[in-house]
Amino acid sequence: MQLDFGSLSGALPYLWKGFRYTVELTTISAAGGLFFGTLLALARLSSIKPLALAASAYVNLMRSVPLVLVIFWFFFLVPFALQWALGTERPPLVGAERTAIITFIMFEAAYFCEIMRAGIQSIPRGQVYAASALGLTYGQSMAHVVLPQAFRNMLPVLLTQTIILFQDTSLVYVISATDFVGAASKIAQRDSRLVEMYLFVAFVYFVLCYALSYAVKRLQLKIAIIR
Amino acid sequence: MAASVDVRNLEHSYGVQRVVRGLSFTLDQGAIGCLLGPSGCGKTTVLRCLAGFEPVQGGSIALAGREVSAPGRIVPPEARRIGMVFQDYALFPHLCVAANVGFAFGRRPSPDQHRRVAEMLSLVGLEGAARTYPHELSGGQQQRVALARALAPEPDLLLLDEPFSNLDVDLRERLSLEVRSIIKATGTTAILVTHDQHEAFAIADEIGIMHEGRIEQWDSPYDLYHQPTTRFIADFVGQGVFLRGIVAGPARVVTELGDLDTGAPLLAADGYAVDVLVRPDDIVHDDAAPWQAEVVAKAFRGADFLYTLVLPSGSRVLSLVPSHHNHALGEKIGIRLAIDHVVAFPAAS
């Protein structure tokens, strides 16, 4: 078989657009997932039983359903949910790209929740006692003492999860969102250059993920010394 | 003026286990009190009740005249104006020393609060360490940061939970004197919890000996040692043995090492058997003495020997003798009693 990467250069602007969406989707989902995941973790650890139960039901549901299905379901459900929430006459047009962002935030929240929960539990109770003896309320000691330390301790795991998220975002092609893989597969089909395109995409993913994993490993060693 | 700390008939249970049983004490403004007792006697629980970490099931706690704990009523720790030094220090590892000490002042301390942090650091002798992180400090330095952090917001009451147990013995002794002078310099009322009597003696003005959830005696270190009111305290505080004696008159006890004048009338009839507390420093080595005892064990302690002696009756006593009197095991040496405060309890059996 003859490989021909000639069509690649012409496709680069379109691939770049797809890649930018992949990065955008990853960073927004990671940030949003971390935010909601932390809230979920606090809920799971809450002494208010119904809250803890609801949070753990949500987390277990999300972690037990394949991501592709979640993407599908949200694609169909988000417009209706927004219609209900906003009280509009018809389901608003959200678009595959924005639906994907909402989906990934909700899905990643479940995983980040479990990481943050482990992080919070790794902080000795004495830290909270010390904070409250110094005049901080429970909420303040969470915000200024427990969460910063939990976040720092869990940073390598959070970043590793983000790298996995970076790879998982490629699944949005099932709802025809044009991410990096989506853009590549459109070009590949147009030019009948499937092998070259997918090789190129795989190469880019490999280089990025490998480099990031290596960086995380270095960071982990550094954090291990501080502790 | 109301006492700075007023604890009345405190009761606390973990489930069915009653840990604190009707404990009471008061402490004056600026005094350093200590709860001393063997592990498991409930002393840490009392401290946690004082801090507001544990609810109380009976009795009450008042700090600076304000009731903060009673059954069904608890002022949370953050509203008690307390400072606390924890056994493991519980410094915040993600913050530098200055941020730890100034933690109570929030993210944006005022110039006054900045000055207070600097003052506290110099008080504990860590001026140069403001920008270092807790893990870069030695145990003794961490301990001092913890003290500075607890004292910085000028608490009404400082609580110290076994603050020296993580330090080696040398440091413990030096630091406990240092900690006392730091606390005294700020005039803060403080309560220390420990199982180590040397620590308690070095720091506290008043000590409560805890036994089975109660305070058995609340006194100055000197009186605890010389005038224990119960057998448990006589046993727990300091070294010593009991020597059998017979009451022979209103203030007179006959022992095999001679007659003792108890100073005050005994509450026992003539002929009644009692156990007299004999400390190692109550037995003086004297070659001219009429009483002889055999050396059965000896421990060299630098300045002196701690001899274990057997009397003709078979009773054992301890004696502290200057170390130039080096006697061999089995040797008989002359001794006599030199007791200033005679402490006697009804004979055990």
Side-chain angles (χ1 to χ4, degrees):
Chain A
M1 199 181 81
Q2 199 65 41
L3 288 180
D4 175 12
F5 286 98
S7 67
L8 196 60
S9 60
L12 277 179
Y14 190 63
L15 286 174
W16 174 239
K17 206 176 143 222
F19 182 76
R20 270 188 3 223
Y21 174 68
T22 293
V23 171
E24 193 187 331
L25 179 58
T26 306
T27 46
I28 296 177
S29 309
L34 180 62
F35 177 76
F36 288 109
T38 304
L39 292 184
L40 276 173
L42 291 173
R44 279 203 80 167
L45 294 170
S46 166
S47 54
I48 306 163
K49 273 279 167 295
L51 190 63
L53 276 175
S56 93
Y58 176 83
V59 168
N60 286 322
L61 176 73
M62 281 296 172
R63 279 158 53 96
S64 313
V65 177
L67 177 55
V68 179
L69 279 182
V70 178
I71 294 170
F72 264 134
W73 275 108
F74 271 71
F75 184 56
F76 297 122
L77 288 180
V78 164
F80 289 105
L82 284 175
Q83 183 193 12
W84 177 78
L86 301 172
T88 52
E89 219 171 281
R90 275 192 284 164
L93 289 171
V94 188
E97 272 81 7
R98 263 181 279 174
T99 310
I101 289 178
I102 296 173
T103 309
F104 272 97
I105 289 176
M106 305 287 279
F107 187 76
E108 288 305 314
Y111 285 87
F112 282 121
C113 163
E114 291 305 271
I115 297 171
M116 285 310 284
R117 187 165 69 114
I120 292 168
Q121 285 175 323
S122 75
I123 307 303
R125 292 285 295 157
Q127 293 280 308
V128 179
Y129 290 138
S132 56
L134 286 165
L136 272 72
T137 61
Y138 179 77
Q140 288 171 324
S141 39
M142 268 293 160
H144 299 305
V145 174
V146 177
L147 288 179
Q149 289 185 61
F151 180 76
R152 200 192 65 180
N153 290 357
M154 288 294 138
L155 193 58
V157 190
L158 291 169
L159 289 174
T160 303
Q161 179 63 28
T162 306
I163 294 171
I164 296 169
L165 167 66
F166 177 63
Q167 295 163 353
D168 283 354
T169 53
S170 61
L171 283 175
V172 296
Y173 87 95
V174 299
I175 53 170
S176 301
T178 311
D179 74 322
F180 189 37
V181 173
S185 84
K186 278 172 193 167
I187 302 266
Q189 273 156 26
R190 188 194 64 187
D191 298 350
S192 303
R193 283 285 165 221
L194 291 164
V195 177
E196 288 88 340
M197 271 303 159
Y198 288 143
L199 269 178
F200 172 68
V201 169
F203 176 73
V204 172
Y205 269 104
F206 171 77
V207 169
L208 283 175
C209 293
Y210 187 79
L212 289 171
S213 303
Y214 181 75
V216 169
K217 207 173 284 174
R218 291 286 302 267
L219 181 75
Q220 197 161 16
L221 289 176
K222 216 178 137 197
I223 287 180
I225 295 167
I226 295 171
R227 290 196 67 201
Chain B
M1 200 191 88
S4 191
V5 181
D6 190 351
V7 177
R8 285 187 195 171
N9 300 316
L10 194 69
E11 294 275 344
H12 186 276
S13 320
Y14 292 110
V16 291
Q17 201 191 347
R18 285 176 72 203
V19 182
V20 181
R21 310 167 175 220
L23 173 138
S24 306
F25 69 91
T26 60
L27 196 62
D28 288 337
Q29 168 68 39
I32 302 178
C34 174
L35 296 174
L36 173 67
S39 46
C41 70
K43 55 192 191 299
T44 296
T45 305
V46 176
L47 202 72
R48 292 177 56 82
C49 289
L50 283 164
F53 296 136
E54 298 285 347
V56 305
Q57 278 97 45
S60 66
I61 299 172
L63 301 181
R66 178 172 67 128
E67 187 181 83
V68 292
S69 284
R73 191 182 127 68
I74 182 163
V75 174
E78 63 267 23
R80 289 194 173 205
R81 293 194 44 80
I82 51 160
M84 189 153 178
V85 176
F86 295 84
Q87 192 167 1
D88 61 356
Y89 317 137
L91 295 177
F92 303 129
H94 62 304
L95 300 175
C96 68
V97 165
N100 262 284
V101 174
F103 188 78
F105 303 140
R107 288 272 164 97
R108 290 183 210 293
S110 68
D112 271 355
Q113 291 169 331
H114 262 305
R115 216 167 309 132
R116 177 79 183 155
V117 170
E119 248 173 56
M120 290 316 300
L121 284 177
S122 83
L123 182 62
V124 299
L126 285 171
E127 300 93 331
R131 294 284 149 232
T132 54
Y133 281 82
H135 71 272
E136 300 170 296
L137 300 176
S138 71
Q141 289 172 320
Q142 290 185 16
Q143 149 82 248
R144 280 180 283 188
V145 175
L147 186 63
R149 182 180 69 175
L151 288 171
E154 297 177 78
D156 290 339
L157 174 66
L158 177 71
L159 303 169
L160 303 110
D161 183 11
E162 304 255 5
F164 306 104
S165 59
N166 284 338
L167 302 173
D168 54 59
V169 181
D170 266 6
L171 198 58
R172 212 179 276 192
E173 219 150 285
R174 198 159 53 81
L175 224 82
S176 47
L177 291 172
E178 215 177 292
V179 164
R180 179 181 161 86
S181 69
I182 291 170
I183 297 173
K184 284 292 176 191
T186 60
T188 312
T189 312
I191 293 178
L192 163 87
V193 150
T194 181
H195 62 266
D196 182 334
Q197 43 187 298
H198 299 294
E199 227 168 271
F201 287 174
I203 295 189
D205 301 314
E206 297 166 46
I207 297 174
I209 307 278
M210 276 193 70
H211 184 43
E212 292 175 343
R214 281 191 201 88
I215 286 177
E216 205 147 306
Q217 186 175 353
W218 182 276
D219 242 324
S220 68
Y222 185 88
D223 286 346
L224 279 175
Y225 187 83
H226 289 293
Q227 302 192 318
T229 52
T230 69
R231 228 186 149 91
F232 172 79
I233 289 169
D235 225 17
F236 183 74
V237 178
Q239 279 181 307
V241 293
F242 290 104
L243 188 63
R244 183 56 53 90
I246 304 292
V247 179
R252 187 145 216 91
V253 175
V254 180
T255 74
E256 65 178 296
L257 292 177
D259 292 4
L260 288 169
D261 181 1
T262 61
L266 287 164
L267 297 170
D270 284 11
Y272 200 85
V274 292
D275 284 338
V276 178
L277 174 65
V278 180
R279 301 279 192 204
D281 46 318
D282 292 335
I283 301 241
V284 177
H285 171 40
D286 179 357
D287 289 326
W291 298 281
Q292 294 268 311
E294 186 188 333
V295 178
V296 289
K298 62 187 214 180
F300 181 62
R301 312 210 306 184
D304 39 43
F305 275 110
L306 181 67
Y307 285 110
T308 305
L309 307 170
V310 172
L311 302 179
S313 69
S315 303
R316 280 167 187 252
V317 291
L318 298 172
S319 174
L320 215 47
V321 177
S323 71
H324 53 265
H325 291 280
N326 189 4
H327 297 284
L329 293 180
E331 199 177 322
K332 288 225 160 75
I333 62 173
I335 53 165
R336 63 182 166 81
L337 276 178
I339 304 186
D340 278 345
H341 313 267
V342 176
V343 175
F345 301 102
S349 58

